[in-house]
Amino acid sequence: MAEGAGRATVQVTVVVCVAARTLREWTLELPVGATAADALRASGADALLPPQPACPTLGIWGRVVRPDTPLVHLDRVEVYRPLQIDPKTARRERFARQGARAAGLFARPRPGGGSPD
């Protein structure tokens, strides 16, 4: 018999990043056949999210999924916030602020390393 066979419910975890470095997590028992959107509604997490015209971006264990994706036992439903700035742009701006001398892997000399010339 397969693992989880004969279950009437599935246990899932819903994780939402409500602000930078702030996570909220709920563990839920949902009926078999529940979707990622059902888990979001059942947790009440949709009330914590800012109003958006469309459903927020959802993922299961780090992979983006559609809201109608059925859940299996022990899935982790994640709600992703939209990016505030493109990562490439952020890196470019950070490099411009720090300058060429202060950026990079060898910016700070290691203890016991040779002196830069």
Side-chain angles (χ1 to χ4, degrees):
M1 188 178 235
E3 182 181 333
R7 285 186 179 273
T9 62
V10 291
Q11 182 180 354
V12 297
T13 303
V14 177
V15 180
V16 178
C17 182
V18 291
R21 295 179 179 84
T22 306
L23 291 177
R24 294 284 311 267
E25 186 173 319
W26 298 266
T27 302
L28 308 170
E29 289 283 334
L30 298 172
V32 172
T35 64
D38 294 336
L40 187 61
R41 277 190 297 277
S43 68
D46 52 352
L48 295 174
L49 300 172
Q52 300 175 16
C55 184
T57 305
L58 302 175
I60 297 177
W61 290 111
R63 292 183 175 230
V64 175
V65 297
R66 293 177 34 172
D68 61 351
T69 302
L71 300 172
V72 297
H73 186 59
L74 299 180
D75 267 350
R76 176 185 163 105
V77 179
E78 301 160 342
V79 181
Y80 304 121
R81 293 184 305 140
L83 292 176
Q84 299 297 318
I85 187 169
D86 178 47
K88 287 183 181 180
T89 304
R91 183 174 184 274
R92 206 172 292 122
E93 289 174 2
R94 190 170 53 249
F95 184 81
R97 278 194 314 268
Q98 293 174 345
R101 193 81 172 141
L105 181 62
F106 304 107
R108 280 181 256 138
R110 296 180 312 214
S115 65
D117 290 327

